[in-house]
Every structure is written in C-alpha cells, then in structure tokens.
Amino acid sequence: MITLILLHSSRPIPLHRWTFEDKPILRIGRSKDNDVTIGSAVVSKHHLELWNKTSGWELVNFGANGTYVNNQMVNKRRIVDGMVVRLGHTGPRLLIRLKPVNDIQLNKQLDIPDLEDLAANDITESDPGHTTRIEFDDDDDD
C-alpha cells in the first residue's frame, strides 16, 4: 500500500489523498492518463513514476522541471515513509506514506496543532483506481 498526500504549497496542510493497493507503477503528472493528475504549469504531462519493486518503492523523474527531495533535484531515488517530494522547484508537494496513516497521525507529522483549524480545509480522498484531477493556481500570492 502507498498513500500520496497533496500538501498546500506554503503551509503543512493536507489537501487531497490518494491510496493505492498492489499497483506496480504509479504515474503522476498533468495528463489525464496518469494515476494522479495534477494541473500545474510546472508539472509535466508525465512528470513522475513510482515503481513498486521487490526491494521497496522507488521514484523516477521524467519531469522537465525536475523532482525535488529536501531541495535537491533527484532523477531516481528509493522512497522512504514520510518523504516529501516537490514536482518542479516551486511546484506542488506530495507526502508519501508507505504505512497506513490516520488523520491524527498525519496532523502530528505535519505539526498541525488542532483539527478544528482544518475545518475549512477538509482532506478529500479519491476512490481506489479512480483518477482525480487537481488544478493549481501557480501564483504564490497566499
């Protein structure tokens, strides 16, 4: 099982969650034929793949604007539970969880003090096997 959690661009607030079971390759990008579709100018049509190998999950960058972990561009990297990946240098961030996680654990990991503060920012979750398109306003004004 792998869970991808889309984070707010400048705050540690979860916006959307996708959970996949038993999928050998997950594709992330702007194109509608990806498993996770994210509409952002800095995200390539086929930006990133996550490979479920016998040794564990691995990410492979195909994005023209790069994929970043800890502000370092990566082309290929082993995934560890809790890793945050940024699509493009200033693009959307994805938190990757390899273990089941509930909202309370997620809020603690992201250092969110109170669930009531998130009332206006409820996390949406996609049905397994269904693609949800997330559109971004690429302005960093807020």
Side-chain angles (χ1 to χ4, degrees):
M1 183 194 81
I2 187 168
T3 300
L4 307 176
I5 300 163
L6 179 67
L7 301 175
H8 186 277
S9 62
S10 61
R11 293 174 285 212
I13 297 174
L15 301 175
H16 194 86
R17 178 187 325 204
W18 298 266
T19 299
F20 299 92
E21 306 260 349
D22 303 323
K23 198 148 167 93
I25 298 176
L26 293 175
R27 291 176 177 88
I28 301 167
R30 244 184 23 247
S31 179
K32 291 181 181 180
D33 64 348
N34 289 295
D35 299 297
V36 174
T37 304
I38 300 176
S40 169
V42 299
V43 176
S44 296
K45 288 181 182 179
H46 299 100
H47 196 103
L48 178 68
E49 289 185 359
L50 307 180
W51 297 351
N52 189 1
K53 302 179 119 188
T54 54
S55 59
W57 283 92
E58 193 172 271
L59 70 79
V60 181
N61 173 62
F62 294 99
N65 291 318
T67 298
Y68 293 79
V69 175
N70 298 325
N71 294 319
Q72 299 289 323
M73 187 185 286
V74 296
N75 287 318
K76 193 173 188 182
R77 182 169 178 159
R78 184 176 159 264
I79 295 174
V80 296
D81 186 49
M83 173 185 281
V84 176
V85 174
R86 186 179 290 273
L87 307 179
H89 188 63
T90 60
R93 296 180 306 145
L94 292 169
L95 169 64
I96 302 175
R97 295 303 311 258
L98 301 177
K99 301 174 186 171
V101 62
N102 63 41
D103 289 339
I104 293 170
Q105 292 169 321
L106 177 61
N107 290 335
K108 285 181 182 177
Q109 178 180 353
L110 297 174
D111 198 25
I112 298 172
D114 197 324
L115 290 175
E116 283 78 34
D117 293 341
L118 291 178
N121 294 308
D122 290 335
I123 302 171
T124 57
E125 188 157 357
S126 293
D127 293 330
H130 291 85
T131 300
T132 302
R133 182 171 176 80
I134 304 294
E135 293 289 339
F136 275 86
D137 177 5
D138 288 315
D139 295 334
D140 258 349
D141 293 321
D142 51 8

